[in-house]
């Protein structure tokens, strides 16, 4: 009898390799954490065989927009992501990263979304990477360094732009973090800690990321009436700093701007003629962030995701709370503060238009520490595969997988991930294309998807029969080694 050659065989699968090419039937052989064989179906032998007959095997999904900075340490099983087939998360988005900052004060919103003062205890990216490695998360983590996090380190008054000396402090922190392996720099000019920063400050930092081969991701200054100017500002920064710019969770928010994605995507297409511009999106008509009374208009539905003074109000609509308290919604919002909220601020045709755009990556933008989170935390990727690809036929399954894998890996410089090819890391998901479906809802958001059979991370089976195993093989992804594989 022939001795098995491989540690694990995924047998007789329909392979969607992430490149956008047509599926094909094959066996995949895994050894020493990597894909080492792609062969005719039913031709390979291994110590452990996963029978994938009738199922699809794809590269593990890359969640390019997360706020999992603390979650990978405090809850390293990472069930909200693993159960979606996600094998890599990109943290530090929207200008908010858990490091580098040894907090000497209470974190202002939105930094408070991912931690309290005691959680901001990593003075350097190197310290944070060490903590991630010690936690041994079930998924890989690549990190961005947040502009707002840099500002709380260096800028004495967040209500103004940084001085030259303060910019130098931030540049040094960012350079140190890039040297320690960060994938790039993110900003959140929409939020109070960075709102006073002009584009000169942003460009000075983006150039540090560019020098290290990193990217710049932007939660733009205005997703409402001023969305075009804000897109221009972000693209200008990327062009001036000479690095790829990624527009975070692209949307046109508020009823006055519904339908304008035709305009904004045309603008992105025009900018792409002269520079590298990509974007990410989540497959829902609602977003989620801090509850801000300034964005309570009495028109759109707002649901409370958490409230520190009134935790009993989580999951309830602000309008109902206001009526119960016999006050207007702005007053109710102030009474609930500090709090988080889900804002039903988009229209379905805009969401579909953005998702259909060929340069749109998928990102969940979930907030894992909300007590009643947006369902995207648990459901974003299966929702794209099931609802939008299979049911609504917005794009093919092959194209859906590309948006979650190679497109993302290429933007973030992860050259051996996001694809099924020889010598790539064995980050893989096996799922049933006929039954994959998100189960998380706005009413019951903490629900695992159906249709995911196995998930492998760095060649270890992390999820089997839709249940987590004891294997936690995720890694902190160092930009240098990921970009220039040996």
């Amino acid at each position: 009898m022939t001795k098995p050659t491989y540690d694990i065989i995924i047998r007789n699968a329909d392979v969607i390799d992430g490149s956008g090419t047509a599926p094909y039937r094959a066996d995949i052989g895994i050894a020493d954490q990597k894909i080492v064989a792609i062969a005719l179906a039913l031709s390979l032998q291994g110590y452990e065989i996963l029978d994938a007959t009738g199922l699809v095997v794809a590269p593990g999904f890359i969640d390019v927009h997360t706020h999992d900075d603390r979650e990978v340490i405090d809850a390293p099983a990472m069930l909200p992501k693993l159960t979606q087939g996600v094998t890599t998360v990109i943290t530090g988005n929207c200008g908010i990263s858990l490091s580098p900052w040894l907090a000497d004060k209470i974190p202002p919103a939105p930094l408070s979304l991912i931690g309290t003062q005691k959680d901001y205890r990593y003075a350097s990216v190197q310290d944070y990477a060490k903590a991630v490695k010690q936690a041994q998360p079930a998924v890989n983590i690549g990190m961005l360094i947040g502009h707002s996090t840099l500002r709380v380190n260096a800028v004495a008054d967040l209500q103004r732009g940084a001085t030259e000396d303060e910019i130098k402090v931030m540049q040094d922190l960012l350079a140190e973090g890039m040297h320690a392996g960060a994938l790039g720099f993110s900003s959140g000019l929409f939020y109070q800690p960075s709102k006073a920063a002009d584009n000169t400050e942003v460009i000075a930092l983006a150039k540090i990321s560019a020098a290290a081969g990193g990217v710049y991701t932007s939660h733009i200054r205005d997703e409402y009436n001023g969305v075009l100017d804000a897109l221009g500002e972000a693209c200008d920064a990327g062009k001036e700093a000479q690095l790829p710019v990624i527009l975070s969770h692209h949307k046109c928010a508020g009823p006055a701007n519904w339908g304008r994605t035709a305009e904004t995507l045309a603008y992105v297409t025009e900018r792409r003629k002269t520079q590298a511009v990509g974007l990410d999106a989540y497959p829902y008509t609602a977003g989620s962030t801090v509850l801000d009374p300034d964005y309570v208009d009495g028109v759109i539905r707002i649901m409370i995701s958490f409230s520190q003074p009134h935790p009993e109000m989580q999951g309830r609509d602000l309008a109902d709370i206001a009526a119960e308290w016999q006050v207007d919604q702005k007053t109710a919002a102030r009474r609930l503060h500090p709090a988080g909220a889900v804002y039903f601020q988009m229209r379905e045709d805009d969401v579909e238009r953005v998702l259909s755009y060929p340069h749109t990556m998928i990102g969940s933008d979930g907030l894992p520490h909300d007590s009643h989170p947006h369902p995207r935390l648990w459901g974003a990727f299966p929702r794209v595969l099931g609802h939008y690809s299979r049911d609504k036929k917005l794009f093919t399954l092959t194209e859906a997988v590309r948006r979650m894998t190679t497109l993302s890996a290429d933007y973030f410089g992860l050259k051996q991930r996001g694809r099924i090819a020889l010598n790539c890391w064995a980050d893989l998901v096996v799922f049933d294309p006929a039954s994959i479906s998100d189960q998380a809802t706005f009413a019951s958001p903490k629900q695992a998807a159906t249709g995911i059979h196995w998930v492998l991370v760095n060649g270890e089976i992390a999820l089997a029969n839709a249940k987590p195993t004891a294997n936690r093989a995720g890694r902190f992804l160092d930009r240098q080694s990921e970009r220039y594989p040996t």
Side-chain angles (χ1 to χ4, degrees), residues 253-406:
N257 299 293
W258 288 348
R260 290 188 67 194
T261 53
E263 190 180 354
T264 60
L265 292 174
Y267 181 82
V268 171
T269 297
E270 189 63 28
R271 294 298 297 243
R272 281 182 53 83
K273 292 177 181 177
T274 57
Q275 65 180 117
V277 182
L279 50 103
D280 67 62
Y282 47 80
Y284 298 87
T285 56
S288 182
T289 185
V290 293
L291 177 62
D292 187 339
D294 289 343
Y295 286 89
V296 174
D297 60 7
V299 177
I300 65 167
R301 177 189 172 197
I302 298 175
M303 186 182 75
I304 304 305
S305 58
F306 77 89
S307 169
Q308 288 184 20
H310 292 282
E312 73 278 7
M313 295 303 181
Q314 67 179 44
R316 294 190 59 187
D317 280 9
L318 180 62
D320 294 339
I321 297 169
E324 185 176 303
W325 287 348
Q326 298 183 327
V327 297
D328 62 35
Q329 290 190 40
K330 282 185 180 290
T331 301
R334 286 190 285 268
R335 192 178 294 181
L336 290 161
H337 200 268
V342 174
Y343 297 83
F344 292 80
Q345 60 190 1
M346 290 165 275
R347 198 169 68 186
E348 179 63 24
D349 63 325
D350 282 316
V351 171
E352 293 186 12
R353 194 176 291 116
V354 173
L355 289 175
S356 298
Y357 190 65
H359 308 291
T360 299
M361 297 170 276
I362 305 303
S364 70
D365 196 16
L367 296 170
H369 310 297
D370 280 7
S371 49
H372 189 96
H374 189 303
R376 63 193 181 184
L377 179 67
W378 287 79
F381 288 78
R383 183 170 176 80
V384 170
L385 295 168
H387 177 67
Y388 283 107
S389 176
R390 181 189 62 230
D391 301 340
K392 299 206 76 172
K393 303 192 186 318
L394 203 60
F395 32 62
T396 66
L397 183 62
T398 298
E399 178 61 11
V401 169
R402 186 186 71 85
R403 308 292 187 86
M404 303 173 171
T405 57
T406 53

Side-chain angles (χ1 to χ4, degrees), residues 61-66 81 86 88-90 362-365 381:
F61 306 137
I62 299 171
D63 190 344
V64 298
H65 193 112
T66 85
K81 299 304 168 69
V86 169
T88 296
V89 297
I90 308 296
I362 305 303
S364 70
D365 196 16
F381 288 78

Side-chain angles (χ1 to χ4, degrees), residues 206-225:
K207 285 181 175 178
I208 301 299
S209 180
V215 299
Y216 168 47
T217 75
S218 177
H219 178 153
I220 60 175
R221 196 178 295 275
D222 188 351
E223 295 175 325
Y224 292 79
N225 297 353

